[in-house]
Amino acid sequence: MRVGILTSGGDCQALNATMRGLVKALYQQRKDIEIIGFLKGYQGLMYEKYKKMSLSDFEDILNVGGTILGSSRCPFKKMRVIEDGFDKVEAMKKTYKKLKLDCLVVLGGNGSHKTANLLSEKGLNIVTLPKTIDNDINGTDMTFGFQSAIDIATRTLDELHTTAKSHGRIMIAEIMGNKAGWLTLYSGIAGKADVILIPEIPYNIEKISQYIKDKLKNGRKHIILAVAEGIISQEETKLSKKELKQKRVKDGYISAGYRLEAELSEKIDGEVRVVVLGHIQRGGNPCAFDRVLTSRIGVKGAELILNKQYGRMVAVQSNNITSVPLSTAVEKPKRVDPNDEIIRQVRMLGICLGD
Ligand code: F6P
């Protein structure tokens, strides 16, 4: 049985751990397994860049971040565009057929799932495993990488508290998540943020400044804001996509944290500082939770392959590891629902959500 594997899109800490779980479980069940690892995601499949791998390649990588296969972004919207006569989809199909693969395993996020679904519709046997620190794939309660990133962002918020307290400052931590606020929401709660701003809940700067003023008046010495990189103000929601783009250019393309700093500084006396966490959130090693989760997800992926259940994504639902059709995974990205129970609970904790 010949199984291709690739890791696609932005990386996370638990890609190696997931591949290890998958490959170990496959070898436990069958001795005739051959693994083909494609290098740098879909690029490897397109351009026949791969290596033959064995079980030993996957040993001792449970706790190692990054990906031993490398990754790249191959945007889905360009996938069907023929460039310089090169048909990417046909090229991927050709490699798959040439190597006589029985199936292809894709570890990826939303965009990678769209391509996986397309390849599945084109007749390839595909199994996918849900990766992203954004936790925004439909059909699964959780993606791997999410918990490790929460731990990193939470640690940073812990660290900001001590220095912010010493100086009596207002500190803004900009956390990843362009469209989905899961990471900011969870790390904001865990990191005792006073204010949590997410893309799904447009903010009102007046409300935030009033909240901060009241807190400081009532004796709080410092303020921590956990802010997703994709936040948008209530005013900005009235703009068209084009107008918003123009406004961002006018603002000087500064990131969300710095935009908020400028807005807050106009309203509040006091020092405001910004920290952009950036790719640190995807770096380092997987946390214990992710090591267990990915081991289980890997095993489930192996079971799908051994049972020839293709065209499916391994999913976490109510603490069980199950699977859903790829069509479910690509329906629409999973966002924070402003009416969700967790949002009500955050409000009950007295945390400001900016609205
Ligand atoms: O999709 C994961 C993610 O880390 C997002 O949170 C972030 O917006 C994006 O990737 C950053 O992408 P890149 O690594 O290409 O800069």
Side-chain angles (χ1 to χ4, degrees), residues 335-352:
R335 306 276 189 247
V336 178
D337 178 354
N339 297 314
D340 200 286
E341 193 190 22
I342 192 168
I343 294 297
R344 188 179 59 78
Q345 290 158 341
V346 167
R347 294 191 197 281
M348 292 284 286
L349 289 167
I351 298 169
C352 170

Side-chain angles (χ1 to χ4, degrees), residues 9-12 73 109-110 131-136 175-180 183 229-230 278-279 281-282:
D11 74 340
C12 77
R73 290 201 183 273
N110 271 310
K131 167 243 54 171
T132 166
I133 65 164
D134 292 343
N135 193 36
D136 62 347
I175 294 168
M176 275 187 170
N178 224 329
K179 302 261 169 54
L183 182 55
E229 63 182 332
H279 293 82
Q281 293 158 103
R282 298 214 310 247

Side-chain angles (χ1 to χ4, degrees), residues 154-209:
T154 302
R155 267 202 308 276
T156 305
L157 292 174
D158 283 349
E159 283 155 9
L160 288 180
H161 272 285
T162 61
T163 173
K165 203 169 182 175
S166 305
H167 291 270
R169 279 177 174 158
I170 296 160
M171 290 279 210
I172 299 172
E174 184 185 306
I175 294 168
M176 275 187 170
N178 224 329
K179 302 261 169 54
W182 297 107
L183 182 55
T184 307
L185 184 62
Y186 276 70
S187 52
I189 297 170
K192 293 191 281 102
D194 301 279
V195 180
I196 297 177
L197 303 183
I198 58 173
E200 295 89 338
I201 303 181
Y203 69 89
N204 179 326
I205 196 66
E206 298 295 342
K207 294 260 172 71
I208 300 171
S209 23

Side-chain angles (χ1 to χ4, degrees), residues 209-227:
S209 23
Q210 193 54 53
Y211 173 90
I212 294 176
K213 279 181 196 160
D214 289 347
K215 272 215 135 181
L216 295 174
K217 207 165 102 196
N218 290 330
R220 180 95 165 138
K221 296 281 179 284
H222 71 288
I223 299 287
I224 301 291
L225 297 95
V227 171

Side-chain angles (χ1 to χ4, degrees), residues 307-318:
N307 296 330
K308 298 190 168 42
Q309 289 176 274
Y310 301 124
R312 301 189 73 80
M313 173 185 81
V314 175
V316 184
Q317 286 178 359
S318 311

Side-chain angles (χ1 to χ4, degrees), residues 110 114 136-139 327-335:
N110 271 310
K114 286 187 190 158
D136 62 347
I137 303 180
N138 194 50
S327 54
T328 301
V330 299
E331 249 169 45
K332 56 175 173 10
K334 184 184 70 183
R335 306 276 189 247

